[in-house]
Amino acid sequence: MTTSAALLESFQIIATPGRIGFVALGVLIGLIIGVVPGTGGITGMALTFPFAMTMDPVAGIGMIIGILASSSISDTIPAVLFGIPGSNSSQATILDGHPMARRGEAAKALGAAFFSSLIGGVFAAVILTLSIGIARPLIMNFQSPELFMMAILGMSMLAILSGTRPLKALVSAGLGIMLSMIGLDSFTGTVRWTGGSLYLYDGLPITIVALGIFAVPEIMYMMVKDSSVSDPNMDTGGGFIEGMREALRERWLVIRTAVVGTIIGVIPGLGGSVTDWIAYAHARQTVPGASETFGKGDIRGVIGVDSATNAKDGGALLTTLLFGVPASAAMALLLGLFLVYRIEPGPSMVADNLPVTYAIVWTLLLAQIFGFIFACVMVHPLAKITLIPPNVFAPAILVIIAFAVFQNSYTAGDLVALLAVSLLGWVMKWYGYARPPLVLAFVLAPLLERWFFISFSVHGWAWTLRPIVVVVGLLTVLGVVSGLRTTVKGRRRALETEPAPSESATQRSEDR
Amino acid sequence: MIRRRFAVASYGIVFSTITLVAVAYAWYLGFDFPQRTRVFPIYAGGLTFVLVFAQWAVDVRWFVAAEGAKRYESLDLGVESEVRDDPRVNQRVVISLGAVVAMIGLSIAVGLSVAAPIFMLVYMIAVSDVRPWIAVAITVVVWFVMFYVLEGMLGLRMPPGLYLQWHPFR
């Protein structure tokens, strides 16, 4: 069967009102779930899984992919409006999205985010279509040494994210690494740094670390500041179209970060937690004047991140469909659903089931478009939320966060851990410790440790000479040197232009 | 003002000192782990200890320097100066910290179904300027979201209390 014939047949498979309706239903569920801090698409996928199993396969897969795609769009909403990541993949959106909301440009930030998400998502779907036949040899070459080097590459982003306070950023990253090592070492069965607590045997959940380091300190800060997220005199609802125009103007940034997101999505194990940071670091490295404006409400920071986070789903779907290797936890669930329907991912998806494969790609494309349209309809009422005084909505958000973190292990330990991490996050915010490096290090350190020991056990030190390892290693060195140069330049410029002490302090604090 | 500046600088030292002690203790414990398990804790822990020690030394230098208080304004702090220098900031920090601790503590003790309305009503009426009926309305909406959307529709589980497992619909 030719590709064009398969594409046509796949379109006929998906183009029935019932199946499109289930994609739309999944998109709606995903949008709602994405707004709830700390839950993310995987929660929605897990909850609807039992229903999807009983449905027609195309409709069931459509609903699940709808949830996956749209939760990546709506998790931007709490990140921009409240400075709270809706999921792990929207943490970097906060850095520029939330300062924009505080300037009264919430709708503009969301417009840019949604539109760049759409472009990123569509781009990834197109790449998925084109690369179905050619990606296999490359992916099959990725083993533990290559994965280890990819994690090292991710860790090198710390050099870019440290801003003008490299020591505090490195302390923050060190704490992140140490926090990630709490719990049972799965290789040796040894318990590390749990203090005898049974709860900590499984380690600290990423949801709790993300919410405690970013969300709760921001809410507490709003309570301390006691003024609405946006100035009430500013027009919060305006600028949505302007935001989309900005995304269009920055089309090359959108495309570049979509490529970054797709590649990260393809690589198993990296997942959503690092996509946003790598995309943000890439945008900060490549956009002119970023060292002065990023972190202070530069719309390009939002555009770069959201394009990549939506594009990663297309990349992740590639490895799941073609190799049966789930690139993330969400993809593992999707893989389970395929197996329930007796669809066996692997080379047969290209050889025997090409129309089904393309139908799944169409579904992803459709979900991206639906997600964009629905999110656009909801954005204006949501942007008005930033005008409400924080002491009115802060208690409600705290309650929802407590509810969300309890879903980790259903024990009081979740709440105690949230409290402890929140206090750490609060002190770090108050004393100017960069928090993104902690979360990035927390996510990557366990992967580093695991892949290092597997690489060493299998290959000895010979793994360091593998071609992809060498190439990624060189890229890492280049990234670190470039990041350090940016940091040194930024510090030098700050020293040269340092005005009165009070002005300088304000400027630095805004750099958070 | 000078006293306040010294106070803020000293809180920074308290944090870096606690971090230094905690990291040093964790690093020390790392040496007792079995051979393979201790590689990362020892190397990463050692590196973190050096970094935290350097930060602690920087903080101490700030604190003991003769012009430390004058240079407080240029300390690398993560909050806006108008918030930091607000005379009521300490009071607000205590209230916000107390609110978070109280809400989580209450949720652990009596469950979120009871803790949520108590916390929300008390906080909104005592701290924010909203009228009581608005506070009640917001509480009811949040309750609705908790029971009907999160628990009922999405099937998420409500955190029960250690001493009270009350649920209005069971």
Side-chain angles (χ1 to χ4, degrees):
Chain A
M1 180 179 275
T2 62
T3 303
S4 53
L7 275 168
L8 193 66
E9 192 181 329
S10 63
F11 185 73
Q12 287 165 347
I13 291 173
I14 191 74
T16 66
R19 287 167 176 173
I20 291 175
F22 275 110
V23 176
L25 178 67
V27 166
L28 266 179
I29 295 171
L31 284 174
I32 294 165
I33 284 175
V35 175
V36 181
T39 49
I42 190 159
T43 309
M45 289 173 73
L47 291 168
T48 49
F49 195 88
F51 306 107
M53 280 166 57
T54 59
M55 290 160 58
D56 156 55
V58 178
I61 291 170
M63 188 170 78
I64 294 284
I65 289 180
I67 293 171
L68 179 71
S70 59
S71 61
S72 304
I73 299 173
S74 63
D75 62 5
T76 307
I77 294 170
V80 169
L81 298 186
F82 305 114
I84 300 165
S87 73
N88 295 333
S89 61
S90 65
Q91 292 163 23
T93 309
I94 297 169
L95 299 184
D96 283 291
H98 191 53
M100 284 186 74
R102 283 157 63 180
R103 282 206 309 257
E105 295 176 340
K108 188 177 174 183
L110 289 172
F114 294 161
F115 197 60
S116 53
S117 284
L118 175 71
I119 300 175
V122 170
F123 177 84
V126 171
I127 292 291
L128 178 60
T129 309
L130 296 176
S131 58
I132 273 172
I134 56 173
R136 185 182 160 83
L138 180 69
I139 298 290
M140 294 309 277
N141 277 322
F142 266 78
Q143 293 174 14
S144 52
E146 286 76 20
L147 293 170
F148 173 76
M149 285 312 294
M150 289 305 295
I152 289 278
L153 178 66
M155 202 66 115
S156 73
M157 298 303 161
L158 287 171
I160 296 150
L161 294 169
S162 61
T164 54
R165 285 170 287 261
L167 181 58
K168 281 185 172 175
L170 288 171
V171 167
S172 183
L175 292 177
I177 292 172
M178 294 189 79
L179 286 176
S180 76
M181 283 187 280
I182 292 174
L184 198 69
D185 177 10
S186 54
F187 275 92
T188 60
T190 310
V191 177
R192 297 191 288 207
W193 296 331
T194 60
S197 161
L198 279 176
Y199 174 79
L200 291 174
Y201 265 51
D202 289 333
L204 279 169
I206 177 68
T207 318
I208 288 179
V209 172
L211 286 170
I213 291 293
F214 286 117
V216 179
E218 288 306 323
I219 292 167
M220 286 169 67
Y221 187 58
M222 282 195 274
M223 289 157 110
V224 171
K225 204 176 167 190
D226 198 22
S227 60
S228 57
V229 175
S230 296
D231 186 337
N233 298 320
M234 290 180 182
D235 180 14
T236 328
F240 186 74
I241 303 291
E242 177 57 26
M244 289 202 276
R245 282 201 194 110
E246 284 280 353
L248 210 55
R249 268 196 286 274
E250 297 292 339
R251 53 190 172 277
W252 293 117
L253 174 65
V254 175
I255 298 294
R256 282 202 312 275
T257 46
V259 171
V260 169
T262 310
I263 292 170
I264 295 168
V266 165
I267 299 163
L270 281 181
S273 304
V274 293
T275 311
D276 52 340
W277 292 118
I278 294 176
Y280 187 79
H282 170 77
R284 187 170 168 153
Q285 249 181 333
T286 54
V287 163
S291 57
E292 284 95 34
T293 55
F294 267 46
K296 297 173 189 169
D298 190 325
I299 199 165
R300 296 170 298 179
V302 179
I303 289 168
V305 170
D306 276 77
S307 170
T309 51
N310 231 25
K312 78 169 189 311
D313 293 333
L317 206 51
L318 187 74
T319 43
T320 310
L321 280 173
L322 299 194
F323 315 118
V325 178
S328 63
M331 285 298 151
L333 266 182
L334 193 60
L335 185 67
L337 192 64
F338 287 153
L339 296 175
V340 167
Y341 292 139
R342 299 184 188 282
I343 298 171
E344 195 175 322
S348 65
M349 293 299 286
V350 183
D352 309 324
N353 294 324
L354 201 55
V356 176
T357 308
Y358 282 129
I360 293 168
V361 179
W362 281 115
T363 306
L364 180 69
L365 194 64
L366 202 62
Q368 302 286 2
I369 294 165
F370 279 163
F372 172 72
I373 294 167
F374 292 170
C376 288
V377 172
M378 288 162 64
V379 71
H380 280 281
L382 284 166
K384 295 283 179 200
I385 294 173
T386 57
L387 299 175
I388 303 170
N391 278 322
V392 174
F393 66 74
I397 296 180
L398 279 175
V399 166
I400 301 293
I401 286 176
F403 199 111
V405 297
F406 185 72
Q407 312 310 314
N408 277 298
S409 69
Y410 306 119
T411 64
D414 288 328
L415 298 172
V416 177
L418 175 72
L419 182 61
V421 179
S422 301
L423 292 178
L424 175 67
W426 169 249
V427 179
M428 287 177 71
K429 177 175 175 60
W430 196 257
Y431 288 104
Y433 287 81
R435 291 169 292 161
L438 187 148
V439 178
L440 185 67
F442 183 86
V443 172
L444 287 177
L447 305 179
L448 273 174
E449 187 178 15
R450 188 184 320 139
W451 288 329
F452 174 78
F453 282 111
I454 294 175
S455 305
F456 191 74
S457 307
V458 176
H459 306 282
W461 285 110
W463 67 266
T464 53
L465 300 173
R466 292 165 69 94
I468 297 176
V469 169
V470 174
V471 171
V472 178
L474 286 173
L475 284 175
T476 307
V477 172
L478 279 175
V480 170
V481 170
S482 162
L484 287 176
R485 272 185 61 197
T486 311
T487 304
V488 170
K489 270 187 192 172
R491 281 183 76 87
R492 199 172 292 158
R493 203 173 295 122
L495 285 172
E496 280 168 5
T497 57
E498 193 161 352
S502 58
E503 207 174 318
S504 159
T506 311
Q507 199 172 338
R508 285 174 195 200
S509 66
E510 280 171 359
D511 195 31
R512 300 258 51 79
Chain B
M1 182 62 84
I2 295 288
R3 275 181 61 191
R4 242 180 59 69
R5 289 171 178 181
F6 266 123
V8 171
S10 63
Y11 295 148
I13 293 177
V14 169
F15 173 64
S16 52
T17 307
I18 291 172
T19 312
L20 184 68
V21 172
V23 168
Y25 183 62
W27 189 35
Y28 165 75
L29 290 179
F31 286 92
D32 287 340
F33 295 149
Q35 185 67 39
R36 185 185 151 326
T37 310
R38 72 180 178 205
V39 175
F40 265 62
I42 287 176
Y43 287 105
L47 187 63
T48 307
F49 176 75
V50 171
L51 292 167
V52 174
F53 182 80
Q55 182 59 47
W56 178 81
V58 169
D59 286 348
V60 170
R61 207 188 93 201
W62 273 104
F63 185 64
V64 298
E67 73 278 29
K70 286 180 198 163
R71 296 187 66 190
Y72 159 77
E73 287 291 351
S74 57
L75 275 174
D76 284 337
L77 299 176
V79 293
E80 288 122 321
S81 53
E82 71 264 21
V83 175
R84 214 173 53 216
D85 293 336
D86 188 324
R88 292 176 301 165
V89 70
N90 285 348
Q91 186 189 350
R92 286 181 182 164
V93 168
V94 169
I95 289 172
S96 65
L97 276 171
V100 172
V101 173
M103 199 277 286
I104 292 178
L106 203 60
S107 302
I108 292 169
V110 297
L112 197 63
S113 56
V114 178
I118 295 174
F119 164 71
M120 288 183 65
L121 282 173
V122 169
Y123 185 86
M124 278 191 281
I125 292 170
V127 178
S128 60
D129 296 330
V130 292
R131 292 176 185 172
W133 71 266
I134 296 179
V136 171
I138 292 171
T139 306
V140 169
V141 169
V142 172
W143 240 41
F144 174 82
V145 170
M146 281 165 57
F147 287 110
Y148 286 96
V149 181
L150 297 178
E151 197 184 40
M153 289 167 68
L154 299 179
L156 304 179
R157 277 169 65 176
M158 179 76 69
L162 292 175
Y163 306 108
L164 182 67
Q165 280 103 37
W166 180 75
H167 192 290
F169 305 112
R170 274 183 213 143

